[in-house]
Structures are given as structure tokens and as C-alpha cells.
Amino acid sequence: MSRSYKGVRLKKYRVYAVGDLQRVYDVSANTVSNWVKAGLRPSDAARPYVFRGETVSQFHRERRQRSRTQLKPGEFKCTACCYAVFPDSFDIAQRSTSSGAPMLHSTCPECSAVMYKFGSEADLAVLAGPTNPNTPEDRAHEETPPVPGGIWITDETHASVNDRIIYAWQSYAGKHSEKTIDRHLAAIRFLEDALAGKAFDRLTCRDVGDFRDQLKAHLAARDDRQKSKSTISHTASHVRAFLEWLIQQEGFRRLPHDLPDYVDLPKSAYAKALPKEPKAYPTIEEAAELLAAMPDRTGAQNRNRAIFALAFLGALRADTLISLRLEHIDLAGRKIVQDGTSCRTKNGKSLIIQWFALPEIFGDTLTHWLTDLIGRGFRPTDALFPDLQTLQQRGGIIAPGQRSVDVMTSTHAVTDAFAAACKTHSDRYTPHAAKHTIASERDKRPLTAEQRKAWSENMGHENEQITDTHYGKLTDHRRFEVLEAIGSEAHIPDLIQASDAEKVRLFNAFLQIIEQA
């Protein structure tokens, strides 16, 4: 069986124990031991081993990319799984070709396929065994003298002395969602890199102060080092939370207890950074035009249209959108059941979402897609947006008794759908732009205070302040257009169409004018 592991994607900032790698790669502990023998470097020499995700991924990439002319002594290139592997020396057999050249053959420890190679002098030296009788079998190739002309050397990823404590933190952080853990880990690794890999058990207040100064420098930078206020604020918050946890751990309690306080940045530091231009998002009319222009000849194209339409109908996040199943769509009631127990929702939030009142093309597109899936035999528990392989296999027809179609694990299909919608457009909108569009639409419509509240809650927000603070912000260009329109024409408010909040504001302004008179 081939084991190229191309479909396995580890988190580069995460730390994995041997058991974690066994589960993710579906291999035995012996296989992980073989990887270590073949050059996979653990984070340190202690047992049980732990590995950084990027180190493991790079190890597998290099093994796949290595050619037969770059093999180390005793190493084979398996033609079945395309890996460069070190079989056990007792499993290597030797025979001679008709020309007298030594031919070696063995069994691949990864996929059990038979491997062949012409034996070089270095290969034969490894096969003969190490000259030092105390050298372990798995170290034999390391003590073999270098082959003339050089041997291919792995460009190792820097191993961290902090990986073990970070692995312990990952267990503590299990109360968060996977994306939240990833964001925290990115901040922790940012701290580690800023301090040149210094061990966390030796941190001083000066170290954390220097890190804070680097954050301030990133805020004030005017080149590619510049980071937004939001990025710096979240990074500082995540690092502070980590340090508060760290000083309570065994072996780290001697660290200064005020260490987390040194992460806090002054308000003046944020003032130095100009706010970045808000990300572009379409008006609902523009979104409808983009949807109408999307091709619909193939199953993949129709899936793109449905993804794009549903993103606006429910103001859904990409991860939630791609994890929906047919049973989560109520066509008759025009509702979306966002079930946190079976969908990937933010903080596990469950919510029944009423479709927003949008042009009919959005609802019609989703209805057409769902009707087509049901006609193909898809069941309520099947993925609403199956992968392309499922759509293309047997014309996307689901046979009775076939196992359920799983949802996709990544959001690349959502990104591709928005890219397809914007293919001929000047702007390139991200999937998150749909939430901004829906938020801005709330401000454009003459809604009562109760309707505005319902609109925000339908977006999954606990209150209107969240919608106002984070979504639907005006770009500079749009802000200038609005202000110019106010100055170029008499601005007389339409009291009939005005919201309750606007009426209260106008009435209070009227009272002030009366008092001044």
C-alpha cells in the first residue's frame, strides 16, 4: 500500500508527540522510530519524543523530493511510495548482475514494496556494518565516512527548547477552538522568534520589555514589517495570557510574577499607526451581479454559485459554510440551522438563521443546487458542498447504501468560489466580505430599532455593538462619496423612512434649537 502522506497537513506551530503522529498519519510507533532513524529530528533528546509540525512536514517533503542520485549510503528510493527510506540492514540482500555490478534489494519499511538499487562502495560499507561495535544499527550510516563527491544533507528546521512546555500549553488550550489555538500559538512563536529562541524558563522582565518594544516598532513601521493595530493588540493579548499561565507551571514558578505586565503597550503606541484601509466588500446589488455572471455548466461551477449565494443569505463564515449538511437547510422555511455540535462554528455557537431579505437570485441559486443534490441521491446527512471527486465520480450519483459524503476539512472551496465570482471584477473579495456586505445593508435600510437588533442577532452577534464595531465599515473612498453627496445637495431627512433612533436624534436636535432660541 502506498503511503506518500501527501494529504496529511500538520500545523506548523503545533507540537506533536509520537502518539499524535501515529493518529494523524495512521502509522505504528515503529514507523515513527524509522523516521527518526531516517533523519527526522525531535525537538530535543528527551523521551518520549516531541516534534514540531513544520519539522515533520519538511522531513516528508524532502523525502518525496529526493532523487535517486541524492541518496545517502544505505538509503533506497521506493518507487511505490516515492520515499527515500532506510531499511534495516538485515533486510537488505545482495546479488550481482551479469556484468558483476552489486545489486541490492530490500523491502520498504513504509509501504512494504520491493526496492532495488545498484550498490555503491558506501552502501556496501553500511551493509557490512559499522567498524565501531558499540555503534547502534540506526546510527551506522552516520559513522560511515563521507562518500567522495559529497552526500546530500538535510537542511534541518530549527528545533525549539520550548516545544515541551508549548506541548503542555496545547493540552491546557484544548478548551478553545482549533482556530483560536492556532492564533495563540502564532503569537507564542512570534515571542520565541523575537527572543531568538531563548528558553522560556530563563525569561526576564527585560526580555518581555524588549518584545514589547518590537511590537511598538511593528506598529510604527512604514514598510513590509508594519502590522495593524488589531494584529498587535491580539498578539500582545495572547502572549500575556500565555505568560500568566506559564508562571504557574512547575519549573517556571521562579519567573518574575509581574512578567505578563511588561507586555502591555501604551495607548500612544497605537496612535502612531494609521488605521489600515478597511477590506473591500460589494454592495448587495454588486454581489447579485457577480452571482448572475458566474458560469453554471458543470457541477463544480454550480457548487461555486451555491457557496457564493449561501454566504450572503446567512452571513456565514467560511468554515461554517463548508461544514454544512443538507439537513441544515430548510428550504420551505428559508432557514439555516447552524448546529454547533455538527458544524464548525465560532466558539461552538448554535443558531437558527433566517435568510436575509436579498434579491431572489440568491435563494433561487441555493434552491437549484439543493434540488439537484437530492435528485442525485444525496441524503440529509451528506455534505451540502461535497468535494470535486464526489461530484465527478459516477456523475455525482449517490448509490443506495453508500456511506455518507463527508464535509471538506478545509475552506479552499469557499475561497475558490469567491475567486471565480470575482474573476472579471476589478476587486477581489474574500469570503468574509459577505458578512461586511450584510452588515452594511442593515445601515442602508429604513429599519426600526427592533429590526436592527434582529438583523444583528441573525448574523450571530450578541448585540448591535459587535456589528457596528467590526463589520460594514466604510472604506475611505465610500466615506468621501457620502460626504460629498451631503455637501452637494440639501440634506432633508425623510422622517417616514427614518429609524426610531434617527427620529430620537432629530427630535433632540430640534429641542436644542428651541432652547437656544
Side-chain angles (χ1 to χ4, degrees):
M1 179 180 67
S2 174
R3 286 186 176 273
S4 65
Y5 309 121
K6 289 183 180 179
V8 179
R9 290 182 175 87
L10 299 184
K11 308 275 188 177
K12 69 175 183 177
Y13 293 136
R14 295 271 181 119
V15 180
Y16 296 85
V18 173
D20 299 323
L21 295 183
Q22 287 180 245
R23 174 179 52 81
V24 174
Y25 285 96
D26 190 22
V27 296
S28 66
N30 274 347
T31 299
V32 180
S33 297
N34 288 336
W35 294 347
V36 175
K37 295 175 184 179
L40 174 61
R41 293 296 178 89
S43 294
D44 54 36
R47 302 290 184 97
Y49 287 144
V50 294
F51 309 85
R52 189 173 312 185
E54 178 59 22
T55 303
V56 181
S57 297
Q58 180 179 327
F59 167 74
H60 286 297
R61 283 196 302 269
E62 290 171 345
R63 292 178 78 196
R64 285 193 296 267
Q65 294 168 0
R66 204 176 313 172
S67 69
R68 294 190 178 187
T69 60
Q70 297 172 320
L71 297 177
K72 298 177 181 179
E75 195 173 31
F76 285 69
K77 184 64 179 282
C78 177
T79 56
C81 65
C82 300
Y83 263 20
V85 297
F86 278 106
D88 292 324
S89 59
F90 64 80
D91 192 38
I92 302 176
Q94 177 184 351
R95 62 182 178 82
S96 298
T97 64
S98 57
S99 63
M103 173 66 73
L104 306 179
H105 64 92
S106 183
T107 303
C108 176
E110 297 287 339
C111 66
S112 301
V114 178
M115 306 179 296
Y116 295 91
K117 69 176 293 188
F118 286 104
S120 65
E121 292 183 7
D123 291 321
L124 298 177
V126 171
L127 184 58
T131 55
N132 182 355
N134 295 320
T135 302
E137 172 67 27
D138 62 319
R139 298 297 181 187
H141 67 276
E142 294 187 5
E143 293 212 355
T144 302
V147 178
I151 303 175
W152 184 83
I153 301 175
T154 305
D155 182 17
E156 301 291 352
T157 300
H158 174 67
S160 171
V161 295
N162 299 311
D163 279 357
R164 287 194 180 272
I165 190 60
I166 291 177
Y167 185 72
W169 177 87
Q170 288 174 187
S171 178
Y172 163 78
K175 59 183 181 179
H176 300 304
S177 68
E178 290 299 302
K179 283 192 172 182
T180 300
I181 294 174
D182 290 341
R183 287 191 289 266
H184 279 258
L185 276 173
I188 295 169
R189 294 299 190 186
F190 187 72
L191 168 67
E192 186 180 40
D193 291 341
L195 301 180
K198 184 174 182 177
F200 287 156
D201 61 354
R202 295 168 49 209
L203 285 179
T204 65
C205 293
R206 168 61 71 86
D207 291 329
V208 181
D210 290 342
F211 171 70
R212 177 191 59 205
D213 291 340
Q214 290 194 41
L215 293 181
K216 292 161 64 175
H218 281 290
L219 271 174
R222 291 294 179 267
D223 51 24
D224 56 358
R225 296 185 303 116
Q226 183 185 27
K227 297 185 182 297
S228 68
K229 292 181 182 180
S230 176
T231 299
I232 293 299
S233 176
H234 282 90
T235 299
S237 174
H238 296 336
V239 169
R240 180 185 178 88
F242 172 72
L243 293 177
E244 289 173 348
W245 172 85
L246 183 69
I247 60 179
Q248 300 177 30
Q249 306 310 304
E250 189 69 34
F252 295 84
R253 292 174 185 167
R254 62 180 181 79
L255 293 173
H257 280 202
D258 60 345
L259 204 61
D261 296 335
Y262 282 78
V263 182
D264 297 340
L265 288 103
K267 292 183 179 179
S268 59
Y270 292 107
K272 291 179 181 178
L274 289 173
K276 286 190 174 181
E277 172 78 2
K279 291 185 178 180
Y281 57 88
T283 64
I284 200 62
E285 294 76 18
E286 290 172 340
E289 292 175 1
L290 292 175
L291 178 57
M294 294 177 71
D296 58 356
R297 294 185 298 274
T298 67
Q301 291 172 343
N302 281 313
R303 187 189 70 176
N304 285 342
R305 288 171 56 87
I307 289 174
F308 188 79
L310 187 56
F312 289 90
L313 283 173
L316 297 174
R317 294 176 176 273
D319 213 24
T320 302
L321 186 67
I322 205 64
S323 61
L324 292 173
R325 300 179 184 274
L326 272 70
E327 62 187 356
H328 296 138
I329 304 298
D330 177 8
L331 284 180
R334 299 173 69 86
K335 292 181 177 65
I336 304 163
V337 181
Q338 181 181 292
D339 186 354
T341 63
S342 57
C343 300
R344 300 193 294 269
T345 64
K346 185 176 182 180
N347 297 325
K349 184 185 298 183
S350 295
L351 178 69
I352 297 178
I353 301 170
Q354 179 72 46
W355 292 4
F356 287 96
L358 304 180
E360 286 300 318
I361 187 173
F362 290 93
D364 291 345
T365 300
L366 180 61
T367 301
H368 177 270
W369 172 252
L370 200 61
T371 304
D372 181 55
L373 289 184
I374 295 173
R376 293 170 183 242
F378 277 71
R379 298 142 300 191
T381 56
D382 289 332
L384 179 61
F385 301 114
D387 58 30
L388 292 181
Q389 183 178 358
T390 301
L391 288 178
Q392 295 167 356
Q393 188 176 13
R394 299 177 183 175
I397 303 298
I398 301 300
Q402 184 175 333
R403 63 187 296 270
S404 294
V405 179
D406 291 332
V407 299
M408 287 182 276
T409 57
S410 72
T411 60
H412 72 275
V414 182
T415 303
D416 291 345
F418 273 73
C422 302
K423 188 173 183 179
T424 59
H425 197 268
S426 57
D427 290 317
R428 293 292 181 266
Y429 301 121
T430 66
H432 209 59
K435 291 184 72 71
H436 290 283
T437 298
I438 297 302
S440 68
E441 192 66 17
R442 182 201 62 164
D443 295 330
K444 295 177 181 179
R445 301 190 182 191
L447 305 178
T448 65
E450 185 178 32
Q451 288 172 333
R452 289 174 62 85
K453 181 179 180 181
W455 192 284
S456 292
E457 290 183 356
N458 203 50
M459 293 182 66
H461 300 158
E462 295 178 358
N463 51 62
E464 291 185 64
Q465 287 69 31
I466 295 176
T467 309
D468 294 333
T469 303
H470 300 288
Y471 296 94
K473 293 184 179 180
L474 295 177
T475 62
D476 288 346
H477 177 70
R478 178 56 183 160
R479 175 163 56 89
F480 297 152
E481 286 183 341
V482 172
L483 292 174
E484 288 174 0
I486 293 174
S488 62
E489 59 184 32
H491 184 66
I492 302 175
D494 187 348
L495 294 181
I496 296 178
Q497 299 294 330
S499 65
D500 290 348
E502 180 68 9
K503 291 176 182 177
V504 171
R505 187 188 68 79
L506 291 172
F507 181 71
N508 290 334
F510 174 73
L511 290 179
Q512 291 179 358
I513 294 174
I514 296 298
E515 291 175 357
Q516 292 174 358

